[in-house]
Amino acid sequence: MAVLTTLYEPIAKDLEKVCQIFDDELFSDLPLINDLCAHVRQYRGKLLRPALLLLSGKACGKTTDVHLTLAAVVEMVHMATLVHDDVLDDADLRRRCPTINRLEGNEAAVLLGDYLISHAFHLCSSLGSQHASRVIAATTNIVCEGELQQVHHRGDFNLGLDDYLQIITRKTASLTGACCRLGAHFAGAGTETAANLERYGLAVGIAFQITDDILDIIGSEKRMGKTLGRDLQKSKLTLPVIHCLTRADDTLRKELHLLLAGSNPDRNRLRNLLETTDSINYSLHAARDYIESAIARLDDLPPSQARHSLSRLARLIISREQ
């Protein structure tokens, strides 16, 4: 977190205002709702998406009140996806705290996720421009499509690399790409600059999800503060497994199928199987390649502390342990 504090220095005051906008928007006259929202506030963590939006704006010259509002909006959308994901994955922990579905049940968690999405669009509608609302709405649609694709392909051992990348681009990277695009657009950047920043955000988002998928297999629950191994338990094929299946002989492939089809698969056993085909290292290298591609998209921006933060933040994504 000390490194993030340094990287977020150009936008530190803006982030404080964003958190206040977030809290003000979600305030209810019902104590029950306020208690649930207070619990969700603990999911804020790194505030990566608001930071990407604000840093993109700063790197293009400025941030405005519109940036602050949109930063709160994208965090609400992200929070909603986390709450819904925990239901889909039957997760117990998020940010070292019990998940909403564990505390209050799936019905309350689904409704709270809907509540967050509803407030995100309510807040976005306060802006004079329809551009932001259309981008956020289109991106939210894409995120849902990606999640539906992933659910559809559970247990699909023929899932290929292209399909996997399409899924994670939609469910994760589309939002980080939109954050950077919106940050640039509302700072007055030209079309090409905004497009390059969106491509930066997309590549960062893909690398983030690949890293997350790796950590779901080899990470520490204590360090990450959330339930791990759910991809395995839900038979979701991620990059390390897809790579292993393409390299496996018949014996290894059969063992992988049996492991992934089990009711309580062993993460350590999966890790050992993946090491026989060097699939973890392959996936780490793939994530690094996306990060290098992302950073190259910043080349046309003028030198600034914000641009430097975007570059370092990208590298930090693949070295994280939580």
Side-chain angles (χ1 to χ4, degrees):
M1 290 303 290
V3 176
L4 278 183
T5 300
T6 301
L7 297 184
Y8 288 178
E9 189 175 328
I11 55 167
K13 291 182 179 179
D14 284 346
L15 278 177
E16 290 178 8
K17 294 175 183 176
V18 168
C19 290
Q20 190 59 57
I21 293 170
F22 184 102
D23 293 344
D24 290 346
E25 172 63 28
L26 293 180
F27 181 78
S28 171
D29 60 348
L30 296 173
L32 165 66
I33 304 300
N34 289 328
D35 289 344
L36 289 172
C37 291
H39 187 82
V40 166
R41 277 199 293 273
Q42 298 175 82
Y43 295 1
R44 277 180 182 161
K46 303 176 187 68
L47 291 170
L48 175 63
R49 289 144 196 87
L52 287 173
L53 192 149
L54 294 170
L55 286 169
S56 295
K58 284 280 189 184
C60 292
K62 63 180 178 180
T63 54
T64 65
D65 287 345
V66 172
H67 286 90
L68 303 183
T69 298
L70 286 175
V73 166
V74 297
E75 185 66 1
M76 283 180 199
V77 172
H78 174 58
M79 290 284 193
T81 66
L82 295 183
V83 173
H84 283 162
D85 279 352
D86 287 340
V87 175
L88 292 171
D89 295 339
D90 195 27
D92 298 314
L93 288 175
R94 171 77 63 181
R95 296 286 172 196
R96 299 178 177 82
C97 298
T99 56
I100 294 293
N101 51 295
R102 190 58 57 225
L103 287 173
E104 302 291 338
N106 286 343
E107 291 176 331
V110 169
L111 290 168
L112 182 62
D114 294 347
Y115 182 79
L116 289 164
I117 287 284
S118 174
H119 271 281
F121 283 104
H122 179 262
L123 183 57
C124 201
S125 70
S126 69
L127 300 174
S129 167
Q130 288 298 307
H131 177 78
S133 295
R134 293 186 64 82
V135 171
I136 294 293
T139 303
T140 305
N141 289 341
I142 291 169
V143 170
C144 292
E145 289 170 353
E147 292 286 2
L148 286 166
Q149 275 185 295
Q150 186 168 64
V151 169
H152 175 74
H153 285 290
R154 282 181 182 172
D156 179 4
F157 294 108
N158 294 315
L159 184 71
L161 176 60
D162 288 345
D163 288 330
Y164 166 79
L165 289 174
Q166 185 181 87
I167 288 169
I168 68 171
T169 298
R170 287 176 179 273
K171 81 181 191 98
T172 301
S174 60
L175 184 56
T176 51
C179 289
C180 297
R181 174 183 168 185
L182 288 168
H185 176 84
F186 285 100
T191 302
E192 185 176 350
T193 299
N196 270 331
L197 273 161
E198 181 177 22
R199 294 184 189 107
Y200 160 89
L202 286 168
V204 162
I206 292 171
F208 183 96
Q209 188 60 59
I210 292 173
T211 304
D212 217 47
D213 291 343
I214 294 168
L215 290 171
D216 193 67
I217 298 167
I218 69 172
S220 161
E221 283 198 358
K222 184 177 180 180
R223 287 180 181 174
M224 294 193 70
K226 68 176 184 178
T227 306
L228 297 180
R230 286 302 192 242
D231 290 339
L232 183 57
Q233 292 180 352
K234 296 291 184 179
S235 297
K236 296 178 187 176
L237 268 66
T238 54
L239 184 56
V241 176
I242 292 169
H243 178 263
C244 186
L245 284 168
T246 63
R247 298 298 182 91
D249 57 23
D250 289 342
T251 301
L252 177 55
R253 190 175 294 108
K254 182 177 180 180
E255 191 166 358
L256 274 170
H257 284 196
L258 289 172
L259 180 64
L260 293 168
S263 59
N264 190 25
D266 184 341
R267 275 204 312 151
N268 290 329
R269 180 59 185 151
L270 177 61
R271 180 175 182 173
N272 291 337
L273 293 177
L274 296 177
E275 285 177 351
T276 65
T277 52
D278 204 31
S279 296
I280 297 294
N281 281 331
Y282 167 85
S283 303
L284 286 169
H285 282 298
R288 291 190 188 103
D289 287 344
Y290 276 104
I291 290 301
E292 293 306 320
S293 172
I295 292 171
R297 296 293 181 178
L298 304 176
D299 285 348
D300 292 336
L301 292 174
S304 67
Q305 192 176 358
R307 173 183 159 174
H308 179 68
S309 289
L310 285 170
S311 179
R312 288 194 60 199
L313 187 58
R315 296 193 190 282
L316 187 64
I317 280 172
I318 55 172
S319 62
R320 65 194 173 93
E321 293 184 344
Q322 53 181 296

